[in-house]
Amino acid sequence: MLSTSRMSSFVFMLKRYLKVTWPILCSTVINYFIPITDLFMIAHLGIIPVAAVSISIDLFVVLSTFPIGLAYGLTPFILQTNDKNASYENSQWLRNSLLINGFLSVFFGVLLYYSMHWLSYLGQDKKAVEMVVYYLPCLALSLIPTMIYNTFSRYLEGIGRTKPLLIVNLVGFLCNVVLNYLLIFGPVRFFSNGLIGAGLATLLSKIFMAIMLFPYVRETLFVRVKDALQASIFDVQRIKKLLVLGAPIGVQLLLEFAFFSTMGLMVGGLGALHKGANALLDNIISLPIGITWALSLAASTVVGDGNQKDSSQKRCSILVYYGTAGIVATLCACCIVCATSFLFMGIYKGSLEGYVLIHSSVFLAALFILTDAFYTIGLGLLRGLKDTFFPFMIATLSNWLVGIPMCYLLIYRLRCGIEAIWLSKIIAFFLTGSILFFRCLKKNNERGFLC
């Protein structure tokens, strides 16, 4: 049984964690529905435009993974106090992070634009590829305001101000819907192509979100004009530290995306029916996976909180972080199982064999949600403690030396179905999560944060 003091510490940490977490969770859910809303509105133009937008979004995800991951390196450097000295330091970290992320957004934006020329070698539908040119340029240009917005977001998470993220995401979502309607179906004849209007709606909403978030950032920086003018625009030491901390995160996310894509190609060897069933399961669990990632962002912020000087208030941190993630992930997993078992049967219009394939693996997919939460919280805690290279190495080795060979063995040697995909993911992520858990125990014990 916990003593009264430890119970009060536990309650304090839980309240602190939930206060930071719930706006990030809501923002994640909103961001999840933005591309879905776009595709639903574009679907009125026909299936070919939907395919063109889907191709463009896939390319955007691939080429934006590294710079977006790199931006997470800013949060641990942002101090948790609002005095003038800390504010000046924060402004320098923010400025140099904007410099790095701005350069990367231009670089990867150019790559994204020229990726249109690669599509002919990827076996995509020719009609869809011809329509990509109407949407992809705006999406490539939107990477610049997206990275500015992400940098501002990581800064606000670092100082524990997450409510502005919810406000801006909600307004940005509504703005995107209205602009899509006006520019796709509205009376402006210049955008009668539809995809041009959809691309402009995405670009304008991203710009608006970055601009709207700036005042929330500016009001926390109590920097005198004289100090700002004397500060170095290009601080080599700060940039080096940001790269050392952020680059492993970016590379890890990129390799993790490649890990999932490779497994998707493997399951394709079983046939189109298996690949389609696996793709549906991937989409079904994408929101719970995003929710657990949001929990890890909040954990990164709270675990390095500099406002709390009393170490007794942090002793129950591991129980709070992992316990909250476990409860949320369990609820998500139960919802996924129930929805797939009952609701999905009423709306699924595919073959009975396809439904059987989905239903046979849904429990493994639900278990993967729990395993992913276990793994992701460890990533978040270590990221908040400025430890990113070790998790990058462990996750990469586990995924590619354990997960991929196991998936190959189960599919091509033992002739298992799509269950092999989920079983391989679970084992690889549980192995990584266990190592990261003990790493967190060690680091938190050194800081005296354990119960």
Side-chain angles (χ1 to χ4, degrees):
M1 296 292 292
L2 290 175
S3 65
T4 304
S5 61
R6 289 190 174 183
M7 179 62 72
S8 61
S9 297
F10 173 81
V11 173
F12 175 85
M13 286 299 299
L14 181 60
K15 288 182 178 179
R16 167 67 177 160
Y17 184 49
L18 294 179
K19 181 180 179 181
V20 174
T21 299
W22 75 265
I24 301 179
L25 280 177
C26 295
S27 299
T28 300
V29 174
I30 293 171
N31 284 326
Y32 173 79
F33 284 107
I34 288 178
I36 295 177
T37 304
D38 287 350
L39 287 175
F40 270 116
M41 298 184 77
I42 293 169
H44 291 279
L45 302 175
I47 193 62
I48 300 300
V50 170
V53 171
S54 179
I55 292 171
S56 300
I57 292 176
D58 287 342
L59 290 172
F60 180 87
V61 171
V62 172
L63 292 175
S64 66
T65 299
F66 176 75
I68 288 176
L70 185 65
Y72 287 108
L74 172 63
T75 303
F77 289 108
I78 300 300
L79 304 177
Q80 299 298 304
T81 55
N82 289 325
D83 58 65
K84 293 184 178 180
N85 292 330
S87 179
Y88 177 76
E89 287 295 314
N90 289 347
S91 68
Q92 298 309 300
W93 287 114
L94 177 61
R95 176 182 298 184
N96 285 275
S97 181
L98 282 171
L99 186 64
I100 298 172
N101 296 330
F103 170 77
L104 289 176
S105 66
V106 173
F107 177 77
F108 282 96
V110 171
L111 284 181
L112 181 58
Y113 176 78
Y114 281 103
S115 66
M116 291 186 293
H117 304 293
W118 311 338
L119 296 177
S120 58
Y121 303 102
L122 298 179
Q124 301 297 313
D125 183 87
K126 291 184 178 180
K127 292 182 179 180
V129 170
E130 291 174 356
M131 298 198 74
V132 166
V133 68
Y134 298 114
Y135 184 80
L136 191 59
C138 286
L139 196 63
L141 194 57
S142 72
L143 186 57
I144 298 175
T146 296
M147 285 306 302
I148 295 174
Y149 170 80
N150 280 335
T151 306
F152 289 161
S153 298
R154 303 293 81 81
Y155 168 80
L156 290 173
E157 287 169 0
I159 63 174
R161 295 195 62 186
T162 53
K163 288 184 181 179
L165 302 181
L166 173 58
I167 296 171
V168 172
N169 271 280
L170 181 58
V171 176
F173 170 71
L174 297 175
C175 177
N176 185 63
V177 171
V178 172
L179 286 174
N180 267 322
Y181 178 79
L182 293 176
L183 300 181
I184 296 176
F185 309 108
V188 185
R189 296 185 179 276
F190 179 74
F191 305 123
S192 59
N193 174 274
L195 285 185
I196 297 177
L200 281 172
T202 299
L203 174 60
L204 292 174
S205 61
K206 294 293 184 182
I207 293 174
F208 178 74
M209 289 171 68
I211 293 174
M212 189 176 175
L213 203 58
F214 176 72
Y216 292 104
V217 174
R218 181 67 184 87
E219 70 181 10
T220 66
L221 298 174
F222 309 105
V223 182
R224 295 180 301 176
V225 175
K226 180 181 177 181
D227 292 335
L229 292 176
Q230 292 177 349
S232 173
I233 297 176
F234 187 86
D235 191 322
V236 177
Q237 292 301 318
R238 282 191 170 88
I239 288 178
K240 182 180 178 180
K241 290 180 180 180
L242 286 168
L243 290 175
V244 168
L245 195 65
I249 302 174
V251 176
Q252 180 183 338
L253 291 178
L254 184 61
L255 291 178
E256 198 169 290
F257 180 84
F259 168 71
F260 289 133
S261 299
T262 301
M263 284 195 165
L265 292 174
M266 285 185 178
V267 78
L270 298 173
L273 187 62
H274 288 77
K275 185 171 181 60
N278 186 69
L280 282 173
L281 277 175
D282 277 332
N283 288 323
I284 289 171
I285 70 164
S286 60
L287 180 57
I289 296 302
I291 289 174
T292 57
W293 180 257
L295 292 172
S296 79
L297 294 180
S300 296
T301 298
V302 180
V303 75
D305 193 342
N307 276 330
Q308 299 167 20
K309 305 299 182 181
D310 185 0
S311 62
S312 66
Q313 295 177 344
K314 298 181 178 181
R315 290 175 184 167
C316 293
S317 58
I318 290 292
L319 181 60
V320 169
Y321 303 136
Y322 279 96
T324 304
I327 293 172
V328 173
T330 301
L331 291 175
C332 289
C334 291
C335 290
I336 293 298
V337 171
C338 293
T340 307
S341 300
F342 301 104
L343 299 179
F344 195 67
M345 178 177 286
I347 62 176
Y348 179 72
K349 302 301 180 183
S351 65
L352 179 61
E353 185 179 359
Y355 177 77
V356 171
L357 283 174
I358 295 171
H359 190 266
S360 65
S361 299
V362 69
F363 289 99
L364 286 175
L367 182 58
F368 176 70
I369 294 174
L370 296 174
T371 309
D372 178 77
F374 181 54
Y375 156 78
T376 306
I377 285 296
L379 283 180
L381 292 175
L382 292 175
R383 185 168 59 245
L385 298 173
K386 298 183 181 179
D387 184 3
T388 58
F389 185 76
F390 179 82
F392 154 67
M393 289 297 299
I394 295 300
T396 301
L397 292 174
S398 178
N399 289 344
W400 292 94
L401 298 184
V402 177
I404 294 297
M406 178 172 292
C407 185
Y408 178 85
L409 177 65
L410 291 174
I411 290 180
Y412 293 104
R413 298 301 180 187
L414 301 181
R415 301 298 178 183
C416 297
I418 62 175
E419 296 90 345
I421 294 287
W422 297 99
L423 188 59
S424 300
K425 290 179 183 179
I426 289 169
I427 292 175
F429 272 51
F430 182 76
L431 176 61
T432 305
S434 298
I435 296 174
L436 298 185
F437 174 73
F438 287 108
R439 179 85 166 182
C440 289
L441 286 178
K442 179 182 177 182
K443 283 190 169 290
N444 273 336
N445 192 41
E446 291 171 356
R447 293 158 61 101
F449 291 175
L450 293 181
C451 290

